């Protein structure tokens, strides 16, 4: 096992019928900015429940935050925070709303000229404006970690930020929220969480037995409850397992003491930037070809995965590894998610070269757990995903 | 899954060669009380490394804390804290030293007349004097939770205490510390952690799929690395897995959203009080008979455990359940731990009645996940463990 440090101070409030509890978690007298997305919370009852819980606080709302939250829109919210003297924020939404709120948390206390520098210059946020979250879409794990991803439409960039100041003070996780989610978002959430577990796990053996088994546990549980959730989002037990898996997949725990890959996420972000494909679906496109391309170096772990997660016990390590990849793709497809780029766009044939060129032009260091996948490797992997 | 709240703010610093880091975690200018046990840390180098890390702080030492820390001895340390104006504590030891330090943390800020009331009247500690830990014996998980157990030799009581104010600020977990531990303590640590996972898991199915798999992961990993640790405590990889399993088994995570049993711990504490048997070994004595006595009500979960943890797939649920119990006892015995009370004392024949009478006299509510095991049940279970 590698040396590590781990601290996650977010308080999780999990279960149904607990929205009123958030009032106890917000400092008395706080002036609250409530952030949310496109307005679905006004149809499914979450908006009303949250507003009722906040009735003793002065609340200003900032809605309309889209998927892949955009820097320049968030500057409007930043202005409100400063002009109104906001002292606490409450993000009511999925990963995009929570990530946007994390940016605002950092920017509110940032004393530089240009808040984009937090992302462009990778400035770590040691302290942020405190905030909580009410999660409405299980997927990203942002409700229990200190990272965020923000897009800048003027520069065409999508960068990540983080730091210990960006953990939510609390997160309310109510599994009943998935009842009104469209099938597409449910499938995306299962895929995103599965990929988080897989990308932190699928490297090479480092004798971190418990981390391996925890990652396998998350994947096994998603494989079990994913189809149940898709079939009946009002199945509370399945929804609860799904929601808790999403949180545990990216709250920092399973990445501690082990190498992590994340090349699939890096390539996927570019597919979203180029084609506007849903984040989770870009991961589905890249995963299979990434593992086939890196079969030799990941063979031992792929075989372990095939054995433990998929029960594939016959064959050589290579045969098991390949069978595990096939099972993974079949699982993704069973969620209604296509695994080839050509299913999403007709102009796919330029993708590999374009993405490789983007990596080259940024002067990025290599991708993957060995940090040695070059733009040429990326080009081949994306090509294999056509 | 049941509703739950979860927050664990302890910062874990895991790995070798990191003792110097603790200086960064203690507030500058702090006046530190360093607590420790019988002095083994002076032989194995830990004392010197910690003292070196603390060289910029004013440090007062309080050593000699025994297993099952005793209230009246700790009053001497409490006097030092108050007279010297201690502002931070550092526990260097195993669960007993850490538990003692938690009592001191609470008592230092307690404004009642009689600090024993914190335990006797179950006063929850919302705020304590801040402290960190340097773990020297993996076992109890106390390094990453907010609970403690303290004995009072005058009243013959052994009570637990807790509250959110009692999480360590940080805990340093260095797997190399087990190199100089005696076989007996290694075996006790494996048994204690295994029982923690087992007692939180072995109840009835509540469709908390991830919690089940996490508990199974801890047990599977302990079954795998336990024998390696016993054979060669200098095997760093095995030691790391062992240490991390101990922490994860009782840091709160796997008990969230599920019922928990803890009857084995409750009966075990009485065997320690009556016969002075090591805590971990009392769990080994009670476990098998507890599960056999409650076979009907725990059958479904016992069968799941047998299948997933021990790979027992043939037979009826009852046959699998019984086979799982046998495998568990064989594993415990393989650590060199006897599983019958008569192996520890000649005067065992009065134990069942005495323990049942103790429970009766205290007017305790029932034990187990259904809170309905009566003193008469306890008497039968302990008898079965002779």
């Amino acid at each position: 096992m590698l040396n590590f440090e781990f601290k996650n101070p977010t308080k999780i409030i999990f279960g149904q019928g607990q929205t009123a509890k958030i009032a106890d978690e917000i400092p008395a007298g706080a002036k609250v900015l409530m952030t949310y997305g496109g307005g679905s919370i006004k149809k499914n009852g979450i908006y009303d429940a949250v507003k009722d819980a906040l009735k003793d606080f002065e609340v200003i709302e900032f809605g309309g935050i889209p998927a892949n939250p955009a820097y320049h829109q968030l500057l409007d919210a930043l202005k409100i925070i400063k002009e109104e003297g906001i002292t606490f924020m409450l993000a009511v939404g999925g990963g995009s709303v929570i990530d946007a709120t994390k940016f605002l948390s950092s920017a509110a206390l940032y004393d530089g000229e240009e808040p984009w520098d937090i992302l462009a210059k990778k400035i770590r946020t040691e302290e942020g404006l405190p905030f909580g979250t009410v999660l409405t879409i299980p997927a990203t794990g942002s409700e229990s970690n200190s990272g965020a991803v923000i897009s800048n439409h003027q520069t065409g960039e999508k960068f990540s930020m983080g730091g210990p100041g960006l953990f939510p003070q609390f997160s309310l996780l109510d599994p009943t929220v998935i009842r009104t989610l469209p099938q597409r978002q449910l499938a995306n959430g299962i895929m995103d969480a599965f990929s988080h577990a897989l990308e932190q796990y699928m490297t090479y053996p480092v004798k971190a037995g418990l981390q391996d088994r925890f990652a396998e546990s998350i994947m096994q549980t998603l494989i079990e409850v994913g189809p149940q959730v898709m079939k009946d989002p009002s199945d509370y037990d399945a929804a609860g397992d799904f929601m808790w898996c999403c949180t545990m997949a990216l709250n920092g725990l399973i990445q501690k003491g082990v190498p992590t890959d994340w090349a699939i996420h890096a390539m996927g972000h570019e597919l979203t930037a180029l084609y506007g494909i849903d984040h989770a679906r870009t991961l589905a496109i890249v995963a299979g070809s990434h593992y086939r391309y890196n079969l030799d170096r990941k063979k031992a772990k792929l075989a372990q995965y095939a054995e433990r997660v998929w029960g594939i016990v016959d064959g050589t390590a290579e045969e098991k590894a390949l069978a595990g990849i096939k099972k993974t793709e079949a699982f993704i497809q069973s969620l209604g998610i296509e695994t080839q780029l050509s299913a999403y766009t007709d102009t796919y044939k330029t993708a590999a070269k374009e993405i490789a060129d983007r990596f080259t032009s940024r002067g990025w260091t290599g991708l993957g757990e060995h940090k040695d996948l070059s733009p040429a490797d990326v080009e081949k992997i994306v090509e294999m995903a056509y």
Side-chain angles (χ1 to χ4, degrees), chain A:
Chain A
M1 203 185 310
L2 312 176
N3 283 1
F4 68 84
E5 296 187 5
F6 179 61
K7 176 173 178 164
N8 185 331
T10 298
K11 178 174 181 174
I12 301 291
I13 304 168
F14 193 101
Q16 50 191 329
Q18 302 193 98
T19 310
K21 283 190 178 174
I22 62 176
D24 303 329
E25 304 295 332
I26 300 173
K31 190 165 180 182
V32 179
L33 184 71
M34 176 175 159
T35 53
Y36 54 92
S40 61
I41 60 167
K42 292 192 176 169
K43 293 175 200 151
N44 58 22
I46 296 173
Y47 176 87
D48 291 334
V50 169
K51 286 290 277 189
D52 191 51
L54 295 179
K55 61 183 184 296
D56 292 334
F57 296 92
E58 187 179 348
V59 178
I60 294 175
E61 298 181 24
F62 185 84
I65 297 169
N68 304 308
Y71 173 64
H72 288 91
Q73 183 202 19
L74 296 178
L75 292 181
D76 295 338
L78 187 59
K79 201 172 159 203
I80 294 171
I81 290 170
K82 294 194 169 173
E83 286 179 2
E84 299 286 343
I86 296 294
T87 60
F88 197 93
M89 290 184 291
L90 182 67
V92 185
S96 296
V97 171
I98 298 171
D99 279 12
T101 306
K102 286 178 177 172
F103 167 75
L104 294 172
S105 166
S106 177
L109 304 190
Y110 179 68
D111 55 8
E113 279 292 303
E114 172 51 79
W116 183 248
D117 285 349
I118 298 168
L119 292 123
K121 296 184 179 170
K122 298 191 176 299
I123 296 169
R124 188 174 145 96
T125 303
E126 298 294 337
E127 193 191 347
L129 187 69
F131 66 97
T133 89
V134 176
L135 184 64
T136 62
I137 309 172
T140 70
S142 188
E143 68 278 6
S144 182
N145 66 40
S146 60
V149 178
I150 303 292
S151 297
N152 186 328
H153 295 321
Q154 288 187 356
T155 62
E157 292 163 318
K158 186 173 179 180
F159 286 159
S160 59
M161 56 182 289
L166 294 182
F167 281 103
Q169 302 288 309
F170 65 85
S171 284
L172 177 73
L173 275 58
D174 179 347
T176 66
V177 298
I178 75 161
R179 289 181 186 172
T180 55
L181 288 182
Q183 288 277 302
R184 173 176 166 152
Q185 270 184 330
L186 291 173
N188 284 354
I190 297 162
M191 179 66 221
D192 198 27
F194 192 87
S195 193
H196 289 158
L198 192 61
E199 292 183 65
Q200 294 168 92
Y201 166 87
M202 194 56 76
T203 57
Y204 50 88
V206 287
K207 297 189 176 168
L210 191 58
Q211 287 91 327
D212 275 6
R213 287 198 173 90
F214 276 5
E216 289 157 0
S217 294
I218 293 168
M219 294 187 281
Q220 285 175 294
T221 305
L222 286 169
I223 290 165
E224 182 178 288
V225 303
Q228 297 168 17
V229 163
M230 297 289 290
K231 193 176 165 198
D232 179 11
S234 70
D235 177 340
Y236 183 79
D237 291 320
D241 273 342
F242 165 43
M243 196 170 216
W244 194 222
C245 279
C246 292
T247 300
M248 292 303 303
L250 203 59
N251 70 352
L253 184 66
I254 61 170
Q255 79 182 45
K256 294 301 171 182
V258 298
T260 56
D261 180 344
W262 294 121
I264 295 172
H265 259 70
M267 291 183 268
H269 283 327
E270 302 305 323
L271 289 176
T272 297
L274 284 175
Y275 300 104
I277 301 169
D278 290 358
H279 168 64
R281 285 161 204 255
T282 67
L283 309 175
I285 293 166
V286 181
S289 61
H290 178 62
Y291 292 130
R292 284 195 184 87
Y293 185 80
N294 292 286
L295 185 67
D296 272 349
R297 296 201 292 180
K298 290 177 184 285
K299 198 187 293 171
K301 205 67 178 283
L302 277 164
Q304 176 182 310
Y305 163 75
E307 274 183 39
R308 293 192 187 171
V309 174
W310 293 107
I312 298 163
V313 292
D314 295 327
T316 64
E318 181 159 328
E319 285 165 349
K320 283 189 276 194
L322 286 167
I325 297 170
K326 274 195 185 163
K327 281 276 192 187
T328 308
E329 288 177 323
F331 168 63
I332 295 169
Q333 288 157 3
S334 80
L335 301 172
I337 296 178
E338 301 276 3
T339 54
Q340 297 299 130
L341 181 58
S342 51
Y344 295 86
T345 172
D346 291 334
T347 60
Y348 59 89
K349 284 189 179 164
T350 51
K353 180 85 171 51
E354 271 190 77
I355 292 174
D357 287 349
R358 281 175 162 234
F359 282 117
T360 304
S361 70
R362 286 191 203 127
W364 278 28
T365 53
L367 297 181
E369 67 270 26
H370 301 288
K371 307 272 173 232
D372 64 356
L373 288 181
S374 66
D377 294 315
V378 167
E379 187 169 349
K380 286 174 198 151
I381 293 167
V382 176
E383 242 174 42
M384 285 167 66
Y386 284 172

